Amino acid sequence: MSDALPELISAEVGDRAAAWDLAGTIPVEVLRRLGAAGALCAEVPAEYGGPGLSSRRNGELTAHAGTLCSSLRSVMTSQGMAAWTIQRFGTRRQRAEALTRLTRGDLAAVAFSEPQAGSDLSAIATTIKDDGDTVVLNGHKVWSTAAGYADLLVVFGRYQDGAAAVLVPATAPGVTVRPIPQPLGCRAAGHADVLLADVRLPATQVLSGTSQSLPLLTTLALTYGRMSVAWGCVGIIRSCLRAATAHARDREQFGKPLAEHQLVARHLAELLVAEQTATRVCEHAAGCWDDRSPELSTAAVLAKHVAAGHAARSAATAVQVLASAGSVDGEPVARAYRDAKLMQIIEGSEEICQLILAERALEGAV
């Protein structure tokens, strides 16, 4: 992968991630610059102005962002999910118009979850109803990452005899974006609830113009999100490994560096194992994506489950190694501790991932 996009992300983040976390916001001009460079949805093909990265290369870019700022990485996940949904379900005209916007600096978010539809997306109650050459949306979406920054919302809801995703301008009459105050993790990711009250839009805003199977629609979008979260967790682990090893080298106790105390050395070994394990499962999933393997869905769930679990444990380990130095709010391992826990919940909780993997095991995956 060219160094241009990682270098741009590094330059834009600099030493500001802690301040963004404490303030609960990323300057929107930073996001627009990254978006215009294609960094927020880097798998978008060149014909739409994107970098056209493979899943593997985009994954490494996502991990790089994750080492610096999980809030920024979360925005990348949301923008990438929106772009992938448009690319997969949009008509030629919809792809040309919407994807080009997203590679010129416009920001997007996806709206899945609802008060009664979190892990169980089959309970989605948002409605999309035909009315002549328009559609009318009504519903309440919760915890939509990056919705606080978005120009465009990709809203999932019930449509005709199935479901659909609709391109909804965030400023459309009837749309209310309500930021979530002080979330546990990824505080600057623009998490927000989205209320839709008789939102009337041209029917051409419905992706593909027809209804789809709800499980197909949500699974395809979630697969991208799970891949992105998994790679972001690799970034969290790498950040924790870097912080813990640096501290263990420099900090002395009882007359020698912490790293020479065997129990501390064990923690460092566990961090390295976590980084290597999470990286390998993500590489496998990315290979399935690039090869269009039928194993992709399972591989993405496995990568997300393994990487998120290792990230949460690695963040706790890093805090343990740094002790008081790792317990200051806003600092890298303290942020990682909060951010990683959220990764065990979003895009499929640990329990949902385990159920999916158990079903695969019963099907004879081995």
Side-chain angles (χ1 to χ4, degrees):
M1 177 172 57
S2 167
D3 290 336
L5 289 180
E7 288 177 356
L8 176 62
I9 290 173
S10 294
E12 290 289 357
V13 176
D15 61 357
R16 294 180 285 276
W20 294 347
D21 180 70
L22 294 172
T25 187
I26 300 171
V28 72
E29 61 270 18
V30 170
L31 297 176
R32 293 200 186 282
R33 284 194 296 268
L34 290 170
L40 300 184
C41 49
E43 287 189 45
V44 171
E47 65 182 295
Y48 304 119
L53 298 189
S54 66
S55 181
R56 171 71 177 271
R57 294 171 71 202
N58 185 47
E60 285 293 349
L61 181 69
T62 303
H64 176 69
T67 65
L68 302 172
C69 177
S70 284
S71 288
L72 173 60
R73 195 276 311 151
S74 292
V75 174
M76 292 172 67
T77 296
S78 190
Q79 182 105 341
M81 288 175 71
W84 170 241
T85 303
I86 295 165
Q87 188 176 331
R88 179 63 179 80
F89 291 102
T91 64
R92 181 177 299 179
R93 180 172 182 176
Q94 287 169 333
R95 292 194 301 270
E97 292 179 355
L99 293 178
T100 300
R101 285 182 59 187
L102 299 190
T103 57
R104 288 181 177 172
D106 277 11
L107 304 172
V110 292
F112 282 116
S113 298
E114 299 179 0
Q116 302 303 320
S119 294
D120 182 12
L121 290 177
S122 68
I124 284 176
T126 294
T127 59
I128 306 161
K129 294 186 177 181
D130 289 314
D131 186 9
D133 59 357
T134 67
V135 290
V136 179
L137 285 76
N138 281 282
H140 179 189
K141 297 295 185 179
V142 298
W143 277 92
S144 296
T145 299
Y149 302 115
D151 303 294
L152 186 68
L153 302 165
V154 180
V155 176
F156 292 73
R158 301 280 177 182
Y159 181 56
Q160 296 176 351
D161 58 350
V166 184
L167 303 178
V168 180
T171 56
V175 175
T176 301
V177 177
R178 185 179 296 163
I180 294 171
Q182 298 179 318
L184 170 69
C186 301
R187 289 174 174 171
H191 304 299
D193 292 351
V194 178
L195 284 71
L196 307 156
D198 292 327
V199 179
R200 185 177 297 274
L201 298 168
T204 53
Q205 296 296 102
V206 178
L207 290 180
S208 82
T210 61
S211 66
Q212 308 283 339
S213 158
L214 179 60
L216 173 66
L217 190 67
T218 56
T219 298
L220 283 171
L222 281 172
T223 296
Y224 183 99
R226 287 166 176 159
M227 296 276 288
S228 183
V229 167
W231 278 109
C233 287
V234 170
I236 289 174
I237 299 167
R238 289 175 181 172
S239 176
C240 290
L241 176 60
R242 182 183 306 150
T245 52
H247 184 79
R249 283 194 203 100
D250 297 339
R251 173 74 165 165
E252 289 194 2
Q253 291 288 278
F254 303 101
K256 60 183 179 180
L258 282 178
E260 294 182 17
H261 292 271
Q262 289 183 339
L263 292 179
V264 176
R266 182 198 70 187
H267 288 317
L268 303 182
E270 290 172 346
L271 286 167
L272 179 62
V273 170
E275 189 276 332
Q276 288 289 298
T277 303
T279 298
R280 299 299 165 256
V281 293
C282 285
E283 288 174 346
H284 171 68
C288 288
W289 183 290
D290 290 332
D291 294 340
R292 295 177 172 81
S293 167
E295 293 298 314
L296 170 60
S297 180
T298 300
V301 172
L302 179 64
K304 192 270 178 184
H305 179 60
V306 170
H310 276 303
R313 290 186 291 274
S314 295
T317 296
V319 172
Q320 191 71 25
V321 171
L322 272 74
S324 59
S327 303
V328 179
D329 200 16
E331 291 304 306
V333 299
R335 290 203 317 273
Y337 189 80
R338 290 184 286 96
D339 294 344
K341 187 59 195 176
L342 195 61
M343 297 307 102
Q344 291 184 293
I345 299 170
I346 65 171
E347 315 304 356
S349 68
E350 284 218 304
E351 293 79 5
I352 291 297
C353 290
Q354 288 169 335
L355 288 173
I356 293 171
L357 294 172
E359 289 177 4
R360 189 70 183 96
L362 290 168
E363 292 170 0
V366 180

